[in-house]
Structure formats: C-alpha cells, structure tokens
Amino acid sequence: MAQIRIARRVLTECVAAMTFPILLLSILVAPVSAPVVAETDRSRARWCGVETMPLKPSDHSWAHWVVLRLRSRSMWRTDLPVFVTAVLLSALSLLVAFFGFIGAAALVFSPVFWLFGVAAQVGPFTPESVGETLLAMPAGVVLGAVTTTVLTGTSFLRDFLLRAFSRIRDPDLLAKLEELRTSRASLTAAFEFERQRIERDLHDGAQQELVAVVMRLGMLEATAAGAAADQERIVRLARQAQSHAERALERLRGTVRDIHPRELSDLGLIAAVRELAARSPLRVELTSTGDDAQLSSPTATAVYFTVSEALTNISKHAGVGSARIDLRCATTDVHVRVKDDGVGGARIDMGSGLAGLRERMRSVGGNLEIISPPSGGTLVVASAPSQPPW
C-alpha cells in the first residue's frame, strides 16, 4: 500500500510538471482559475491518501460553483494561496522530473549509447571509456531514486501547505458546520412537531368518533334489552353509531394520507398534487408542465408536502378563498410555486411546519423560500433536483 501511494505521488507530480504551462497561462485569469486548481489539488490529495473535504457540492456545475466561490472571502484566503503554491511547486517538479529522470535514463543506458558512438553527457560527467559507461549505470539508478524521493517530498509539501491554507478556521467550513447544526436542530423540532400533530389528529379525530361509536353501541344494547318494542330508537342509535364509525374511518384515512398519500406512490407527483387541489376547500388554479417520471420518491414526497402545507396555511391564515399552483417537472429538477393574495406576513419559525418542510427540501438537495410581505400575499417557492445528491 505504501508503494502504491508513493507511486501515486510521483505520478501526480509528473502530471503537475506537464501541466505547468497551462498553470502559467491560468495566472492571467487567476481569480477564476484559483478555485478550480484548489479543488483539483484537494482531489489529488484524497487520491494520495490524505483526508480532505471537497468544497464543491456534487449537484453544482463548475461554472456555478466558481461564481459562488468568487463571492466568498475564503477564496482569497484559501484557494488563491493553494493556486500560487501549485504553480511554484509544479515549476519545481518540472525541473526535477525533467533533469532527474532524463539524466537517470542517460546514465543507465550510457553503455547502449556508447555502442552507437554517442557519449551520453549528464551535467559535468562525460564517459570516455566503456568502463566509465558501466560505472554510470548504478549512478543512474541512484539519480532516479533521488529524483523519486524529491518528487515524493514535493508532494508531501503540497499536502502540508494545502492543510495549512484549508485549516478548520476557514469561514466557509465553519458556516457549513453551523448550517449542519442548525439543520439537525430544525429537523428534530420538525419531527417532534409532526409527531404531536399526528397524536392530536388521532386524539381529537378518530379517537373521539370511536368513543362515540362505543357509547352509541352501549345505548343500543341497553335499549334493545330493555324495550324490545322501541324499534325507532334502536334504528336511530344504530344509524348514529354507523355515522360516527364512518367519520372515524374518514379521519383515519385523512391521517394516513397526511403521512404518505397513496396517490403519490401510485400515480406520481402531478396527479397527487391535482388530487390535493381537488380536496382543498380553496379554489385552486393548478398549472403543471413536464413529466414527473424521473423524480425520485424522496424528492416527490418533499414537494408534495410543501404544496400541502402551503394550501393548509392559506386556508387557515391568508383570509382568501383561492390559490394558484405552478408545478414544473423536468428530467433534472422540479420547481413549484404556491401563490395567494392574502394578508401575507408568513414566516418560517423554528419548529413550525414550514421549517420542517424547508429542512426536508434541503435533505434532498433542494430549497424552500417564503416571500410574504405584509398585506402583499404569500409566495412559497420550492425547488429540488430530481435525484437527491446522496
């Protein structure tokens, strides 16, 4: 394993030596090329067995990520120094690899050159006899070993400087850690909120109806045992018990649907949102485009519950009776907008349903935004890639 890592280090230094002219030209556009070179150097370090954290998200294109890095202060503190280091060390590797390996090859094959009448000169050394060419062969092996050692040391120096410039105090890394802590806390609070909501729905809905069914059945039993001729009261109690049982069944179905709708699994996101709009007490204008066949189940579920929560909030708080949904599905991503002309002023508070949905969207690589000025209506915008980054 150690030999493989050394071979990788020597190989990467040789590649760096060959790409030195490109690096030299990239100085002309250093602010743009620095993030690319720095991220490439992190990949090189990982390939050589060094633990480094990539900064480029897997779902971002290089162009988009470079633009984001240019707006970050850490690009100047981290990427630019790594870029300068890469240029300087690549120049060193070019000199060492070129003169070291070529000199080593000339010494090792010095007897062969002598047979063709060529004296292979390496620095101040020029063989003048067959014996000197034979003595040059072990010297060539030693020079090759020294060159390999110097290139390996150069690789380790790259790693040291990379870690020095990418230390944990990097503000971007601290921001990522803080975002992870906040996201974990928000998810915990959102799950607790959802658990309490399900418990409340079962307690105030199906459980109360089932209690009423049990009471009506008890009264029905007492009436049937005490007054066999009172057929009208028996029928009335039986109908009441049946009515309560049907309502309990409907509420249980609603609770199960809120956990995961069957339409979403069987028919897809567009059909499930259309069914959701049809069940809503609001007048919903739905516009859907594209094909949802490429959407993963986690992404479709996150978008569905975003629309569901948005419609519920409009019904409860917006003070209007209508809403508009714009759903666009593509092979690479999905976008949804839910708009109302209500009172506005909506916010994503910690532990609320919207906070949980935002973390749910982030968990699949998406995002959730709320635009809700006072008295200006509310716009809920959600987007996510078709396939989660994990």
Side-chain angles (χ1 to χ4, degrees):
M1 182 61 69
Q3 291 81 356
I4 293 177
R5 290 184 177 180
I6 291 176
R8 288 183 174 183
R9 290 186 178 278
V10 174
L11 178 60
T12 54
E13 289 304 317
C14 291
V15 172
M18 290 185 290
T19 58
F20 173 71
I22 300 176
L23 288 175
L24 200 59
L25 291 176
S26 67
I27 295 178
L28 300 176
V29 288
V32 176
S33 58
V36 178
V37 172
E39 189 68 10
T40 303
D41 198 43
R42 296 183 191 100
S43 300
R44 174 207 61 79
R46 286 195 300 276
W47 194 61
C48 292
V50 179
E51 292 185 4
T52 58
M53 186 178 73
L55 296 184
K56 175 184 171 296
S58 58
D59 60 327
H60 285 193
S61 65
W62 278 101
H64 177 64
W65 179 72
V66 168
V67 171
L68 293 179
R69 289 295 290 175
L70 289 175
R71 299 173 183 172
S72 172
R73 289 182 302 173
S74 65
M75 195 283 291
W76 305 98
R77 297 178 53 185
T78 303
D79 293 351
L80 195 59
V82 172
F83 172 73
V84 174
T85 299
V87 174
L88 296 177
L89 292 182
S90 295
L92 176 62
S93 295
L94 176 60
L95 294 174
V96 172
F98 182 79
F99 291 106
F101 285 137
I102 290 181
L107 291 174
V108 170
F109 293 101
S110 182
V112 178
F113 295 143
W114 184 267
L115 291 177
F116 289 93
V118 178
Q121 181 179 0
V122 178
F125 172 74
T126 302
E128 296 180 355
S129 64
V130 177
E132 290 184 358
T133 60
L134 295 176
L135 291 176
M137 294 179 64
V141 174
V142 172
L143 179 58
V146 171
T147 302
T148 300
T149 302
V150 173
L151 291 178
T152 304
T154 304
S155 179
F156 278 111
L157 181 58
R158 284 182 190 271
D159 296 340
F160 173 78
L161 295 175
L162 178 64
R163 287 194 296 266
F165 293 129
S166 303
R167 57 191 180 276
I168 194 62
R169 291 188 296 275
D170 189 308
D172 278 0
L173 298 181
L174 292 176
K176 278 192 173 184
L177 290 175
E178 184 61 28
E179 182 180 350
L180 287 175
R181 293 192 190 99
T182 304
S183 177
R184 184 172 62 179
S186 299
L187 281 175
T188 302
F191 288 152
E192 181 63 25
F193 176 84
E194 186 66 13
R195 190 160 47 243
Q196 292 176 0
R197 184 193 66 79
I198 294 175
E199 187 275 334
R200 185 172 58 252
D201 288 348
L202 291 175
H203 180 273
D204 298 339
Q207 180 174 312
Q208 295 296 332
E209 297 294 346
L210 290 174
V211 169
V213 170
V214 173
M215 293 177 61
R216 292 298 186 279
L217 290 176
M219 296 170 62
L220 179 62
E221 180 183 11
T223 301
D230 193 358
Q231 298 294 327
E232 182 179 350
R233 178 173 172 78
I234 293 175
V235 171
R236 185 173 68 254
L237 290 173
R239 288 176 177 173
Q240 290 176 350
Q242 182 182 11
S243 177
H244 282 295
E246 290 175 349
R247 285 200 294 269
L249 182 59
E250 183 61 29
R251 293 197 176 189
L252 281 174
R253 286 173 177 168
T255 301
V256 172
R257 187 185 298 114
D258 288 340
I259 296 174
H260 191 85
R262 186 177 183 86
E263 298 89 349
L264 186 61
S265 301
D266 295 345
L267 304 177
L269 177 62
I270 295 177
V273 171
R274 187 177 294 115
E275 179 66 21
L276 182 65
R279 292 198 311 268
S280 174
L282 303 168
R283 297 188 307 276
V284 179
E285 178 184 344
L286 172 62
T287 302
S288 61
T289 57
D291 183 10
D292 58 7
Q294 301 297 324
L295 296 182
S296 65
S297 178
T299 299
T301 301
V303 173
Y304 174 88
F305 281 108
T306 297
V307 176
S308 177
E309 183 71 17
L311 293 179
T312 299
N313 288 341
I314 294 172
S315 178
K316 290 181 178 179
H317 309 298
V320 294
S322 61
R324 294 186 297 277
I325 302 175
D326 180 18
L327 176 62
R328 294 187 292 110
C329 300
T331 56
T332 58
D333 54 14
V334 57
H335 297 264
V336 65
R337 297 161 58 94
V338 183
K339 180 76 170 63
D340 70 76
D341 299 322
V343 297
R347 295 187 306 170
I348 301 180
D349 297 322
M350 180 68 72
S352 66
L354 287 175
L357 289 174
R358 180 177 61 183
E359 298 308 321
R360 192 169 196 169
M361 293 298 300
R362 288 179 176 178
S363 70
V364 295
N367 192 28
L368 176 69
E369 297 181 10
I370 304 293
I371 304 173
S372 184
S375 303
T378 299
L379 174 63
V380 178
V381 182
S383 61
S386 299
Q387 300 295 327
W390 36 268

